Amino acid sequence: MSMTALNTLGQEIFETRYAYPGETKWTERAKVIAKTVASAERDEDKEKVEKYFYEAVGSGDLIPGGRIIFGAGRNRGHHNLLNCYVIVPEDSVDSIGKTIQDMYKISCAGGGVGFNVSKIRPRGDDIGSVPNSAPGAVSVLQMINEVGEHVRAGKNRRTALMGILNITHPDLMEFLSVKLDQGQLNNFNISVAITERFLEAVELGEDWYFTFNNKEYHSYQMIRNGEHSVSVIAQDEEDALSRAENFYKEGWEDTFECAGINDIKARDLWDIIWKNSVESGDPGIYNIDLANKYTNVSYFEKLDSTNPCGEISLPSYGNCCLGNVNLSNMVLADGTDVDWKRLAKTVRTGVRFLDNVLTINTFPTEECKTVAERSRRIGLGVTGLHYMLIKLGIPYGNEKCLEFLERLFATIRDEAYKQSIYLSRDKIPFAEFDSKKYLNEDFAKTLPARIRMLIKRHGIRNAVMLTIPPCGTISMLHGVSSGIEPIFAAMYNRRWRSNNIWKEQLVVDPLFQQYYDEKKNLQPFVGAYDVAPEDHIKVQATIQKYIDSCISKTINLPSTSTPEEFSQAALDYAPYLKGLTVYRAGAKDGEPLAAIPFTAENIEKYMEKESDQAVAVGEACSLAGGDCGA
C-alpha cells in the first residue's frame, strides 16, 4: 500500500498546523501516531497493530481527527487527543462556576465544547426571596463566550463552542436575538433543540407557550405609556408587570399595563428560526427527541447537547475521539466499483484505532474520563464522499446515489459493529453494557440478526461508534472533498486580506484539474450551490439511518432562496434528521470564497490560467478551535 504524498496545500497545512518540530513529511507524523496509539495494545500485539495503523494512516485511508494528528507523541504522550466535549450546567452558582472553569480547561487542551443551558432558570425568575433577579440562560452563554475570547489552543486556534437551548425554554426569544440582532456570542454556533411535540404543534397550527420546572410561561402583551407595546414572557399578569418594570423601562417614569396573553403560533416560531437561519447561518436545529431515541444509550445517558459542529450527541461531560475513512481512496483504479475489501479493512482498523485513543488519552477533567469509560464512545466518520461518487460516475443526490449510499453505509455500519464486538470478546464490553437493554435500543434493533446475535454472545466494546464530522482542514490536508459534502465548486476565487491589502486567487479543485488534464468527463463536478436543497437533505437523511450518532452537514442554498421556501422543506424532513443546518450564499459579508459558474465558456477561460490547486470545504463548520474533526 503506497504512502500518501501531500499536495502543495496539504503540505502547507501539515507544516503550519500539525507537524512536530523537525517533521517535514506526513509519513513521519503517521509513524508517531501509529506508535502512540498502538501503545494501548498488549506487548505481544503492539508491533503488529502498529504496522496496521501505520499502513492505514500513512496511506491516507484512515485520517485521524485533528487533535490526534496534532497531539500524538507530544508531551511524552500525555496530551488530550479528543475533539469533542459537552457540559450541561445545572441551575446553581456552583455548577455554573464549575462549567466555566472546566470549559477553560477543555478549551486550553484543544477540545471544542457544546452546552445546553436549558436547566438554567429563565431571566427574571426569582432567586430565593429576591424577585426578578435571575440573569437567565443567555447570561451563562455570555460568560462562557467572554472566557472563550481569551483561549487559544493548539497552534493559536480559537476555541469552538456550541450553545443549545430547548424550544420549551422561556428565554428562547432572547436566545435567538442576542447573537443575530445584537452581534454577541461570536465564539458560538447556536442551535434550538426541537421536540416531536413542537413539530406536531407546527403541523396542527397550535399556539406555543414555554415551560420551566413544570410551570407555564406565556407571552403577555404589555402597553408602555399607553402607546407602545412589548412582549414579555411571564407566568401570569402580575409577573409580567413586574418583569416589564424591571427590564423594559426606557425612562424612570414609564408605566405599563397588561393587554392580555398573546402567545406565538408554533408555525410562526418555526418560521422565525428558519428566517434567521437562512439570512445569517444561525441557528441550526437539534432534534433532541430523535437523538435520544435513535441511539444505543438511552437506558443510561441523556443526550442534551452536541459538540460545536453538531456531529456528536453527548451527555454532560461526554466526549468523543474522531477519525475518518477516506472514501476517495476506496474506489478501484479503473473506477468500476468500490474496493469493498479495502473499505472493510479500513473501517475495522479505524474502530480499533479510536478505541485505543480512548485508552491512552489524557482527559482534561476527571468527570470527562468517567463518562468516557462509561460508554467508550468513539466517532468513526467518513470524508471524500463526493470524490468517490465522481470517480464512480454517480451524480450527487439522485436516486442512484441514494441507493448506493444505502449499501455503502450499511457496510460501514456492519463492519464497525463487528469489530467492536471482537474487541469486546478479546477485552471487555463498555462499563454500562447490558445485553437485554442494549439490544432493545432503537438503533440496535436495525442491526442485522447475525450482528445482534454476536452482541448477545460477546457484548460490544463501544456503545456508539459512527458519526459524520465536517472534516474541513483534514480533508484539505489530504486533498479530498470534505465529509459528505459536495465540492464547493470546480473553480472559485478565494479572497483574503494581507497587511490591509485584499488579495485574490483562482483555485481549481484538484480532482477537477486531474480530470481536465486527462480529458475525462467533467459533468459530475457540480458544486454545493448547484445541488438542489432537497437533494442535500435526501443524502443526509439516507445516511442518518446507518449512523448511531449525528451528522454534520450544511444544506447550501442559492442566494435567491427565501426563508419561506426552505421552512416547509425543513418541516418535512426534520422528523428524520438529528440536526439540520443551512447556509445561503451571501448570507455573511466578506465571504472568502466565490464560485465561478460551471459553464463551458468559463472552463475554457479559467483553465487556461495558471491556478493553485486546493480543495474547497464549503461552509460545514466556521469554528476552528476544537476542529470538529479538522
Side-chain angles (χ1 to χ4, degrees), residues 47 51 111 131 197 244 286 454 488 518 522 533-534 562 588:
E47 185 176 346
K51 180 175 179 290
R197 178 67 192 93
Y286 171 49
L454 289 171
F488 177 73
E518 296 175 359
L522 303 179
E534 192 159 337
T562 65
K588 294 182 180 179

Side-chain angles (χ1 to χ4, degrees), residues 123-124 131-133 239-249 256:
R123 180 172 180 254
N132 304 126
S133 55
D239 184 38
L241 183 62
S242 179
R243 290 174 192 253
E245 291 178 343
N246 272 280
F247 300 114
Y248 292 92
K249 274 190 173 183
F256 295 87

Side-chain angles (χ1 to χ4, degrees), residues 7 29 40 68-69 85 111 228 241 281 303 341 474:
N7 64 22
R29 182 98 291 257
I68 300 171
I69 297 174
Y85 293 84
H228 306 292
L241 183 62
L303 308 176
K341 184 176 180 181
I474 59 174

Side-chain angles (χ1 to χ4, degrees), residues 492-544:
Y492 60 93
N493 284 313
R494 172 178 173 252
R495 297 178 72 243
W496 74 100
R497 197 179 184 98
S498 176
N499 296 325
N500 292 321
I501 298 174
W502 281 103
K503 296 186 177 182
E504 188 168 295
Q505 171 188 47
L506 172 65
V507 182
V508 177
D509 180 272
L511 189 62
F512 180 76
Q513 180 78 57
Q514 178 187 328
Y515 271 48
Y516 178 84
D517 293 341
E518 296 175 359
K519 301 188 179 342
K520 292 183 177 180
N521 179 23
L522 303 179
Q523 292 309 308
F525 287 88
V526 296
Y529 290 106
D530 299 317
V531 176
E534 192 159 337
D535 288 341
H536 275 283
I537 299 176
K538 286 178 180 177
V539 167
Q540 182 176 346
T542 299
I543 295 172
Q544 183 66 81

Side-chain angles (χ1 to χ4, degrees), residues 223-264:
I223 308 300
R224 182 170 52 206
N225 300 332
E227 297 178 338
H228 306 292
S229 67
V230 294
S231 294
V232 177
I233 307 298
Q235 297 175 44
D236 52 42
E237 289 193 9
E238 182 181 351
D239 184 38
L241 183 62
S242 179
R243 290 174 192 253
E245 291 178 343
N246 272 280
F247 300 114
Y248 292 92
K249 274 190 173 183
E250 293 183 349
W252 287 108
E253 297 181 353
D254 284 356
T255 60
F256 295 87
E257 58 180 316
C258 184
I261 291 177
N262 186 27
D263 279 333
I264 189 171

Side-chain angles (χ1 to χ4, degrees), residues 169-189:
H169 197 281
D171 286 346
L172 182 72
M173 303 310 292
E174 180 190 6
F175 174 74
L176 291 175
S177 70
V178 71
K179 179 174 184 179
L180 308 176
D181 299 336
Q182 302 172 38
Q184 300 182 37
L185 303 182
N186 292 324
N187 291 303
F188 275 93
N189 283 341

Side-chain angles (χ1 to χ4, degrees), residues 51-217:
K51 180 175 179 290
Y52 291 152
F53 289 169
Y54 175 65
E55 288 177 349
V57 176
S59 65
D61 285 3
L62 177 67
I63 309 176
R67 295 311 310 164
I68 300 171
I69 297 174
F70 176 81
R74 295 179 190 265
N75 299 334
R76 298 181 182 176
H78 300 296
H79 202 83
N80 170 53
L81 304 178
L82 275 56
N83 288 73
C84 309
Y85 293 84
V86 154
I87 305 177
V88 181
E90 301 291 333
D91 187 36
S92 71
V93 171
D94 288 345
S95 178
I96 293 170
K98 180 170 171 51
T99 294
I100 294 171
Q101 179 185 35
D102 290 344
M103 166 266 171
Y104 184 69
K105 291 179 181 177
I106 293 169
S107 295
C108 287
V113 192
F115 305 86
N116 186 321
V117 290
S118 300
K119 292 183 179 181
I120 305 299
R121 74 186 67 186
R123 180 172 180 254
D125 270 21
D126 300 343
I127 299 179
S129 60
V130 184
N132 304 126
S133 55
V138 173
S139 174
V140 174
L141 295 178
Q142 290 169 327
M143 288 189 284
I144 294 169
N145 186 77
E146 179 60 31
V147 174
E149 289 289 335
H150 305 278
V151 174
R152 292 293 182 270
K155 293 194 174 181
N156 205 35
R157 290 166 297 169
R158 298 181 69 181
T159 187
L161 305 172
M162 168 67 82
I164 291 180
L165 194 68
N166 291 358
I167 193 74
T168 55
H169 197 281
D171 286 346
L172 182 72
M173 303 310 292
E174 180 190 6
F175 174 74
L176 291 175
S177 70
V178 71
K179 179 174 184 179
L180 308 176
D181 299 336
Q182 302 172 38
Q184 300 182 37
L185 303 182
N186 292 324
N187 291 303
F188 275 93
N189 283 341
I190 65 170
S191 281
V192 177
I194 62 167
T195 61
E196 292 177 350
R197 178 67 192 93
F198 174 69
L199 292 175
E200 180 183 41
V202 175
E203 292 277 15
L204 296 176
E206 296 177 355
D207 288 341
W208 187 254
Y209 60 86
F210 304 101
T211 59
F212 185 81
N213 280 355
N214 297 316
K215 295 177 290 187
E216 291 185 11
Y217 292 69

